[in-house]
Amino acid sequence: MARSPSLLLAALALSNILLPIAVLVFATGFFPYKPFLPGLATFDDVRPHGTAHAALAPLASQPEAVFDRVVFMVVDALRSDFVYGHSSGFSFTQSLIRSGAAIPFTAHATPPTVTMPRVKALTTGSVPSFLDLILNFAESDTSSSLAAQDTWLAQIKTRGGEVVFFGDDTWLKLFPDTATSAGGVEGSPEGSPGKPFFMRADGTSSFFVSDFTEVDNNVTRHVPDELAKSDWSAMVLHYLGLDHIGHKTGPQGPNMLPKQREMDGIVRLIYEAMETEPHHAKTLLVLAGDHGMNAGGNHGGSGPGETEPALLFASPVFKGMERRRKYECPTLPKEGTEFHYYSKVQQSDLVPALAAMMGMPVSKNSLGVLLPELAGLWEGVRWRELLGENARQLLHVVRAKYGEGFDGAAEEVAGRFEEVERKGRAEGDEERLVEEWGEVLYWLNQDGGQVEEERLEEALYTFLNSAQEVMSDTASSYDIPRMVTGMATAGLALALAISSFPSLWPPGIAGVSFTIISLLYGIMMFASSYVEEEQHFWYWLTPLWLTLLTTSRLRSSPSRSSSLRTAAAYFLLLLTHRLATRFNQTGQKHSGAADIVHTFFSAHHIAMWLLILSTYLLNGFFLHTRTFAGLFLPEVAAFADVSLVFLAVVFKLNFTQADAPELVQGLAVRLREWSEPFGLVMQARGAFAAMGIAALGVVGLAFRQARRKAGGGKGAEGSIVLAERLHHLLTLFLMTQTRAPNVPLFLGLEVQRIALGWLLSDSSSGSRVGRPAVELATSVLLLSHVYYFCMGGSNSISSIDLSNAYNGVADYNIAAVGVLLFSSNWAGPIWWCSAAVLLYTQQASTAASKKTPNSENERDWVMVEREQLHKEALAVTKQADQKVPSSRQSWDKSWFVYVASMTAFIATSLLAEMAACTALRTHLFIWTVFSPKYLYALAWSLGWHLIVNVCLGSGLYLLCR
């Protein structure tokens, strides 16, 4: 028995309402905001009471510092080999290492390897939560600031020092002016609310990645003046140019070595001031990368090089230090590695090192461990005192997790340590830490001879390293009930989506194919390698589906001409698919391999621009013949489409000149000179405004034309539906939001839309209602994902393209930037959502045409009988309460089935991804593969499916009725 259409609609609507609820509920359990210990650390926190052991004896309120000033120089994306390798441009820095004036390390940066969480690690010593990855892109976010957290910068300000800053404005968000002079934390001296955190500062936006020079010159211009001053205790410099070069040309790009030499020159400038200026006699230089970069020049995940930046301490003081080893430089990485030079430490280890060298307490939330390479700066007793302070500070973090009973258990272990030692170490994290701290307490209670001191130092390091490992791994605790609730909600959404289908049996080839694709995709979510290389899933399944679809069409083809058209459509679809998949190599394993964009276009930029101009000309043709046809006079339509295309091309040309000048070179010099007075922001706004005005005009005139036709008037080009008119304007907008080398892909998109229309419109007249909709849903689903990946997308955070996120935006606007960012990274999938409506109307028209005569004589007969049929239709309408004609009912159901199919796939993929993240939450790649994939699943479900597919697609569908 047929189910009520209203019930089916309610089930589908409820399913789509539950999807965002499921996503957000699961996310709150999987990505909890990491808590932190409040207040600033003091020496009282780490002083033992009641012990006379020399290693942890009470200290002065503020011990003498080795250094009284620090220059903290961050070079964004400074991979270890850039400094230590044989092809490095840091020749002066390497000479400091050889002379003993610098101590080098490779610092491990835990994923996500983007700037904000890495700066948090370098300043607090903690492991930021994965939520900071999202906050890294939200420039308006204030919840991610460090104003209320303990950092080494806040410690400097607490003791009366001042901090100056120049560079990446991420630091200005992390340390806002609303902070007090003491960092705005409990337990610190009163500060003045609203006082700037930095005494002097000059920030630079990090997201306009085409700038290699000005973004660094804006930092360097301050350095000589600041080195001449003595009113600051810390100067933070954050250079961005090297990272931008990596994003644009990769680590082997022509601009990389000159930029390294430029940064090396800054090191020389600072070090020479340390040698010659009296007030810099006790100044420490820290050279650090916040993260590295992979072979493609990007970062965000855990790929080779992304997690291995350089870390170096430099000062003339180190030359007189008792050294445990000497360093050769340049050198080769450790055997079996690519970027592991010298000792490999955690980025968080920087915090206790700075605290020890500058005579400050270690920040409260630090998970860092003192670097043994620095031991020569202090005599033995003081070194063990510092280790003890570090251990007691980390003990506070451990105690916060395991409770106050931890101390009692450790003291019990210390009382029977010899028995525990004979039994061997415990396996559980808490038990292991209890035993290791108990061993520290045991050696503290011994006489303090040479052997005992050595065993104490060994025990301290054992506890510190274990605590760091355990607390780093448990930095984000999961809320399992919330995660299960999210999965249950997604499962309910899937059940409702399936129940919303008018019928499920027999499924047909399309239904079986769609089900298999959904199930295979869900299974694939449990394998990290498949997630990393997801593009191949879509690249291989798409030709297979097109082959099945073509075969079914050829079997039911009514004529030879129809068969030839089907074969031609199949050939065009496969040819364009093959070319599209070669445009951008993506994924992890082959991201740096040769492709059309990075290999062919870089060497043949003229050919690239000919293809780009051809794409714009085709779009202009469609604007003239489809978008504006019948709405404007031909002359006005020509002026409108030429103006739109001209504005878009000029902006694309000038933006590419700024973003990738090697792709423009000497092309269109006069045009660029003419448009130079108009900045890129104004040009983008002009293009967007023209598109918006055109869209409003088309909508208004199209509705006016529809009313005239309804009233008996004649409307020119009435066969063009409004959705098709808007489609070509949307295409122009998406081309504006796409990198220039990817614009020719829109030629392939149009070819595939037309060819797919031929295939889908050749369905037999006896097709079951809903079957063509599932065929359409399967085709659009596959091609949407194909074009997401072939335009350079992946499941790695490093593939997010920010270059077009600020088109026309002068000041940060979260809504505008969000829309532009999504449209630039999902341009292909958005385009296919609009194309789906066009293919739907084409199928509907074909289905309707099969019910009408075709010959001229039959048309005459129709004209003679039209009046009589009209009268009969009016009578039937009155009796049936204005029921919709059967053909329209059929295709209304088909669009309903299309939306239900897409909803079912999204619910399946979400449920699978949630289950994978839950089951594999202790997996090695949970934060490098599965968590980023969940963020992408969130974007696909909320952005692409709900906003674009359901809202925009259904809105366009309603305009076609």
Side-chain angles (χ1 to χ4, degrees), residues 299-324:
H299 55 87
S302 60
E306 292 176 82
T307 60
E308 294 164 299
L311 173 64
L312 177 140
F313 299 99
S315 170
V317 173
F318 291 126
K319 289 184 178 181
M321 182 182 77
E322 180 183 344
R323 309 180 67 80
R324 295 189 176 184

Short mmCIF file of all heavy atoms in Angstrom, two decimals, residues 299-324:
data_model
loop_
_atom_site.label_atom_id
_atom_site.label_comp_id
_atom_site.label_asym_id
_atom_site.label_seq_id
_atom_site.Cartn_x
_atom_site.Cartn_y
_atom_site.Cartn_z
N HIS A 299 51.20 21.88 4.84
CA HIS A 299 51.31 21.36 6.20
C HIS A 299 49.93 21.28 6.81
O HIS A 299 48.96 21.77 6.25
CB HIS A 299 52.22 22.25 7.05
CG HIS A 299 51.81 23.69 7.09
ND1 HIS A 299 50.90 24.17 8.00
CD2 HIS A 299 52.15 24.74 6.29
CE1 HIS A 299 50.72 25.47 7.79
NE2 HIS A 299 51.46 25.84 6.75
N GLY A 300 49.84 20.65 7.96
CA GLY A 300 48.57 20.47 8.65
C GLY A 300 48.42 19.07 9.20
O GLY A 300 47.76 18.86 10.21
N GLY A 301 49.04 18.10 8.54
CA GLY A 301 48.94 16.72 8.97
C GLY A 301 50.23 16.22 9.59
O GLY A 301 50.96 16.95 10.25
N SER A 302 50.53 14.94 9.33
CA SER A 302 51.71 14.32 9.92
C SER A 302 52.63 13.74 8.85
O SER A 302 53.36 12.80 9.11
CB SER A 302 51.28 13.20 10.87
OG SER A 302 50.54 12.20 10.17
N GLY A 303 52.56 14.31 7.65
CA GLY A 303 53.38 13.82 6.56
C GLY A 303 54.85 14.10 6.77
O GLY A 303 55.24 14.84 7.69
N PRO A 304 55.72 13.50 5.93
CA PRO A 304 57.16 13.71 6.05
C PRO A 304 57.52 15.20 6.02
O PRO A 304 57.14 15.92 5.12
CB PRO A 304 57.72 12.99 4.82
CG PRO A 304 56.69 11.96 4.49
CD PRO A 304 55.38 12.59 4.84
N GLY A 305 58.21 15.63 7.04
CA GLY A 305 58.66 17.01 7.12
C GLY A 305 57.71 17.94 7.81
O GLY A 305 58.13 18.97 8.35
N GLU A 306 56.41 17.64 7.83
CA GLU A 306 55.44 18.54 8.45
C GLU A 306 55.65 18.64 9.96
O GLU A 306 55.43 19.70 10.55
CB GLU A 306 54.01 18.06 8.17
CG GLU A 306 53.58 18.17 6.73
CD GLU A 306 52.20 17.59 6.51
OE1 GLU A 306 51.22 18.30 6.78
OE2 GLU A 306 52.10 16.43 6.09
N THR A 307 56.06 17.54 10.57
CA THR A 307 56.18 17.49 12.03
C THR A 307 57.60 17.70 12.53
O THR A 307 57.85 17.52 13.73
CB THR A 307 55.67 16.14 12.55
OG1 THR A 307 56.47 15.09 11.99
CG2 THR A 307 54.22 15.92 12.17
N GLU A 308 58.54 18.09 11.65
CA GLU A 308 59.94 18.14 12.06
C GLU A 308 60.60 19.48 11.74
O GLU A 308 61.46 19.58 10.86
CB GLU A 308 60.70 16.99 11.40
CG GLU A 308 60.22 15.65 11.93
CD GLU A 308 60.63 14.47 11.07
OE1 GLU A 308 60.24 14.43 9.89
OE2 GLU A 308 61.34 13.61 11.58
N PRO A 309 60.21 20.52 12.46
CA PRO A 309 60.87 21.81 12.28
C PRO A 309 62.18 21.90 13.06
O PRO A 309 62.47 21.05 13.91
CB PRO A 309 59.84 22.81 12.85
CG PRO A 309 59.15 22.01 13.92
CD PRO A 309 59.07 20.60 13.40
N ALA A 310 62.94 22.92 12.75
CA ALA A 310 64.21 23.15 13.45
C ALA A 310 63.96 23.90 14.76
O ALA A 310 62.99 24.66 14.89
CB ALA A 310 65.15 23.94 12.56
N LEU A 311 64.86 23.70 15.72
CA LEU A 311 64.87 24.45 16.97
C LEU A 311 66.33 24.66 17.35
O LEU A 311 67.10 23.69 17.39
CB LEU A 311 64.13 23.70 18.08
CG LEU A 311 64.21 24.32 19.49
CD1 LEU A 311 63.52 25.67 19.52
CD2 LEU A 311 63.59 23.38 20.52
N LEU A 312 66.70 25.90 17.64
CA LEU A 312 68.11 26.21 17.89
C LEU A 312 68.23 27.30 18.93
O LEU A 312 67.49 28.30 18.89
CB LEU A 312 68.78 26.63 16.58
CG LEU A 312 70.24 27.05 16.60
CD1 LEU A 312 70.96 26.49 15.37
CD2 LEU A 312 70.34 28.57 16.58
N PHE A 313 69.15 27.12 19.89
CA PHE A 313 69.49 28.15 20.87
C PHE A 313 70.87 28.69 20.50
O PHE A 313 71.80 27.91 20.26
CB PHE A 313 69.53 27.57 22.28
CG PHE A 313 68.24 26.98 22.75
CD1 PHE A 313 68.02 25.61 22.69
CD2 PHE A 313 67.23 27.79 23.25
CE1 PHE A 313 66.83 25.06 23.13
CE2 PHE A 313 66.03 27.25 23.68
CZ PHE A 313 65.83 25.88 23.62
N ALA A 314 71.00 30.02 20.49
CA ALA A 314 72.29 30.62 20.11
C ALA A 314 72.65 31.76 21.06
O ALA A 314 71.79 32.57 21.43
CB ALA A 314 72.25 31.13 18.67
N SER A 315 73.90 31.81 21.46
CA SER A 315 74.44 32.89 22.28
C SER A 315 75.94 32.69 22.44
O SER A 315 76.42 31.54 22.47
CB SER A 315 73.78 32.90 23.67
OG SER A 315 74.46 33.79 24.54
N PRO A 316 76.73 33.77 22.53
CA PRO A 316 78.16 33.61 22.82
C PRO A 316 78.41 32.89 24.15
O PRO A 316 79.48 32.30 24.34
CB PRO A 316 78.66 35.06 22.87
CG PRO A 316 77.69 35.84 22.04
CD PRO A 316 76.37 35.18 22.26
N VAL A 317 77.42 32.91 25.05
CA VAL A 317 77.57 32.25 26.35
C VAL A 317 77.82 30.76 26.18
O VAL A 317 78.55 30.14 26.96
CB VAL A 317 76.32 32.50 27.22
CG1 VAL A 317 76.38 31.69 28.51
CG2 VAL A 317 76.18 33.99 27.53
N PHE A 318 77.22 30.16 25.16
CA PHE A 318 77.34 28.72 24.98
C PHE A 318 78.77 28.28 24.65
O PHE A 318 79.11 27.11 24.85
CB PHE A 318 76.40 28.23 23.86
CG PHE A 318 74.95 28.32 24.22
CD1 PHE A 318 74.05 28.99 23.40
CD2 PHE A 318 74.46 27.76 25.38
CE1 PHE A 318 72.72 29.09 23.72
CE2 PHE A 318 73.12 27.83 25.71
CZ PHE A 318 72.24 28.51 24.88
N LYS A 319 79.60 29.20 24.16
CA LYS A 319 80.97 28.83 23.83
C LYS A 319 81.76 28.43 25.08
O LYS A 319 82.68 27.61 25.01
CB LYS A 319 81.68 29.99 23.14
CG LYS A 319 81.18 30.24 21.71
CD LYS A 319 81.99 31.34 21.05
CE LYS A 319 81.55 31.57 19.61
NZ LYS A 319 82.36 32.62 18.95
N GLY A 320 81.43 29.02 26.23
CA GLY A 320 82.14 28.69 27.46
C GLY A 320 81.48 27.60 28.27
O GLY A 320 81.90 27.32 29.38
N MET A 321 80.44 26.99 27.73
CA MET A 321 79.69 25.98 28.46
C MET A 321 80.39 24.62 28.37
O MET A 321 80.98 24.28 27.34
CB MET A 321 78.28 25.86 27.86
CG MET A 321 77.37 24.88 28.55
SD MET A 321 75.74 24.77 27.73
CE MET A 321 76.16 23.76 26.31
N GLU A 322 80.32 23.86 29.46
CA GLU A 322 80.82 22.49 29.41
C GLU A 322 79.91 21.67 28.51
O GLU A 322 78.71 21.58 28.75
CB GLU A 322 80.84 21.91 30.83
CG GLU A 322 81.36 20.48 30.88
CD GLU A 322 81.30 19.90 32.27
OE1 GLU A 322 81.15 20.68 33.24
OE2 GLU A 322 81.38 18.66 32.39
N ARG A 323 80.47 21.09 27.47
CA ARG A 323 79.65 20.47 26.44
C ARG A 323 79.72 18.95 26.53
O ARG A 323 80.76 18.37 26.79
CB ARG A 323 80.10 20.92 25.05
CG ARG A 323 80.21 22.44 24.91
CD ARG A 323 80.65 22.82 23.51
NE ARG A 323 79.64 22.51 22.53
CZ ARG A 323 78.57 23.28 22.30
NH1 ARG A 323 78.40 24.38 22.99
NH2 ARG A 323 77.68 22.94 21.39
N ARG A 324 78.56 18.33 26.29
CA ARG A 324 78.51 16.87 26.26
C ARG A 324 78.87 16.34 24.87
O ARG A 324 79.20 15.17 24.72
CB ARG A 324 77.11 16.39 26.65
CG ARG A 324 76.74 16.73 28.10
CD ARG A 324 75.45 16.04 28.50
NE ARG A 324 75.13 16.27 29.90
CZ ARG A 324 74.09 15.72 30.54
NH1 ARG A 324 73.29 14.90 29.88
NH2 ARG A 324 73.87 15.99 31.81
#
